[in-house]
Amino acid sequence: MYDVNTHDVRRFFAHVWQHRFTPLQLDGLQQKALRILEAHQEYAHYLENIEQYLDHTWTPEQGETNPFLHLSMHLSIQEQVAIDQPFGIRDIHAQLCAKHHDDWVAAEHEMMDALAETIWEAQRYQRGLDVNNYMTRLRKLIQLGQEDNARINPHEVPLSDQISMRE
């Protein structure tokens, strides 16, 4: 696991933005982040003045969306799609992109609601992410219902099985 804090995430995106004119110097993850940043130019002000926004709090009550959370959710979805985990997310992403005439940003914005709701639920009930609820939410976006067979959530795998999987 990574020990990443809010400042690290914000500086990561600002660093990528600063290197947007030399993308070959960026690693694979940074290049994905750059693609996301280029699609969200409205956040340039935050990225170019990162020191002012390291401790800033965006609140829904004030009608604000945290730009770094938004960017991070895009990156999370793209990483999930790249490795097709949870299984089937790549196909859902492709179908949503097709629905939006190859607009991956619009597709991922739809998917973000499902991810945000799943994360919120896990935090509220102090448990791991429920991959079944997440996939059901995503499947509804393409007019599919719940899957026939429930998946095992990673946090539900017994420790002894986790250890034997590593060996």
Side-chain angles (χ1 to χ4, degrees):
M1 295 299 273
Y2 296 103
D3 182 22
V4 179
N5 63 42
T6 301
H7 288 185
D8 292 338
V9 171
R10 293 175 184 191
R11 283 194 174 109
F12 166 79
F13 283 113
H15 171 81
V16 169
W17 183 249
Q18 290 167 355
H19 289 86
R20 68 190 175 279
F21 302 116
T22 54
L24 294 179
Q25 294 179 2
L26 301 174
D27 66 27
L29 183 65
Q30 291 170 327
Q31 288 183 11
K32 280 183 185 179
L34 178 59
R35 181 175 175 236
I36 295 164
L37 293 170
E38 288 173 338
H40 288 80
Q41 301 264 334
E42 68 272 22
Y43 297 151
H45 172 75
Y46 304 121
L47 300 163
E48 292 166 1
N49 300 287
I50 194 62
E51 294 303 318
Q52 293 176 351
Y53 294 100
L54 287 176
D55 294 311
H56 186 81
T57 302
W58 287 267
T59 63
E61 296 80 24
Q62 295 176 335
E64 299 175 317
T65 300
N66 181 331
F68 298 100
L69 175 60
H70 183 86
L71 297 168
S72 296
M73 290 180 76
H74 269 294
L75 200 52
S76 294
I77 290 168
Q78 288 186 16
E79 286 294 294
Q80 291 171 4
V81 169
I83 63 171
D84 200 22
Q85 284 299 318
F87 178 74
I89 196 168
R90 183 181 295 149
D91 185 52
I92 291 169
H93 186 269
Q95 289 185 50
L96 288 171
C97 284
K99 172 184 160 186
H100 291 285
H101 309 288
D102 292 324
D103 184 348
W104 62 270
V105 177
E108 290 176 13
H109 284 170
E110 271 197 77
M111 296 173 78
M112 262 184 219
D113 289 337
L115 180 57
E117 215 174 319
T118 304
I119 292 170
W120 177 85
E121 210 172 59
Q123 290 174 335
R124 178 157 194 242
Y125 298 112
Q126 298 178 356
R127 62 178 187 227
L129 295 176
D130 188 325
V131 71
N132 295 295
N133 287 344
Y134 181 42
M135 286 304 293
T136 297
R137 288 180 177 113
L138 290 173
R139 288 168 56 89
K140 285 180 181 176
L141 298 174
I142 57 170
Q143 280 67 52
L144 294 176
Q146 186 173 338
E147 295 175 301
D148 293 332
N149 299 313
R151 300 167 188 240
I152 297 174
N153 286 307
H155 62 278
E156 294 171 342
V157 175
L159 183 58
S160 60
D161 289 349
Q162 291 177 25
I163 292 168
S164 67
M165 285 183 211
R166 291 185 203 147
E167 296 172 352

